[in-house]
Amino acid sequence: MTTGTVVIAEVVDESLDLSAHEAAVADRRAGAVVSFQGVVRDHDHGRGVTLLEYEGHPSAAAVLREVAEEIAADPAVYAVAISHRIGTLQIGDVALVASVSTAHRAAAFEACARLVDEAKARLPIWKRQVFGDGTEEWVNCP
C-alpha cells in the first residue's frame, strides 16, 4: 500500500457503529468523510422480509482487507474503514458500514462507492432472507 491507510477491514458478528468508522478515518488533511450503511429492510422484490442471516466463508475477512487496501492505495484516499456483519440480523440492523476520508468530497464519494461496490462484488458472504410467509431464499450463493 502506498499512500492510504486501512484503518478497519473486518467481518464481525456484533453490531456495527457508523460513528466509530467515521472516527477511525478522521484525518487533519481530510476535507471530506463519506460513509455508507447497508441497513436490513423489510422487503425485497415486492415480498415482505422478516430477517436476514449472513454466513461468511473463512476467507471473507482477508478478501475484505484486500478490497480496502486497493481503495486505500489511491493517493487521494487518506483512510478507509469497512466492516460487514455476519449472523442473524433483524429489520433495521446495519449489515455493512464503510467510511472513507479524502481532501475533497468528489473523491470521497467516488472512493466510498468503489469500496462498497467492490466489497459487494467480491466478498464471500451469503445472505439468507426469511419472508413473511415463512419461505426463505439464499442470495449471492455460488
Side-chain angles (χ1 to χ4, degrees):
M1 186 171 28
T2 55
T3 57
T5 301
V6 177
V7 177
I8 296 175
E10 59 188 6
V11 175
V12 298
D13 62 359
E14 62 236 9
S15 296
L16 299 176
D17 181 356
L18 175 66
S19 62
H21 284 70
E22 291 174 340
V25 301
D27 188 298
R28 292 174 56 94
R29 301 169 295 164
V33 172
V34 171
S35 297
F36 170 82
Q37 290 190 109
V39 180
V40 177
R41 62 182 181 269
D42 68 354
H43 64 93
D44 189 37
H45 300 295
R47 299 176 71 189
V49 173
T50 59
L51 66 88
L52 297 182
E53 181 181 4
Y54 287 96
E55 287 192 19
H57 186 272
S59 68
V63 171
L64 191 59
R65 178 160 297 283
E66 181 179 286
V67 169
E69 287 174 350
E70 288 173 13
I71 301 305
D74 181 333
V77 174
Y78 297 142
V80 172
I82 185 167
S83 299
H84 199 298
R85 189 168 167 196
I86 56 173
T88 302
L89 282 73
Q90 304 298 319
I91 305 305
D93 284 348
V94 177
L96 174 74
V97 173
S99 296
V100 176
S101 63
T102 67
H104 303 285
R105 74 177 174 275
F109 277 112
E110 191 272 333
C112 193
R114 278 190 301 131
L115 177 63
V116 172
D117 290 346
E118 283 297 310
K120 295 288 284 178
R122 294 167 39 192
L123 197 56
I125 291 181
W126 304 281
K127 175 172 69 175
R128 181 177 72 97
Q129 299 187 113
V130 178
F131 298 103
D133 63 6
T135 61
E136 62 182 47
E137 142 185 275
W138 282 91
V139 181
N140 299 333
C141 289

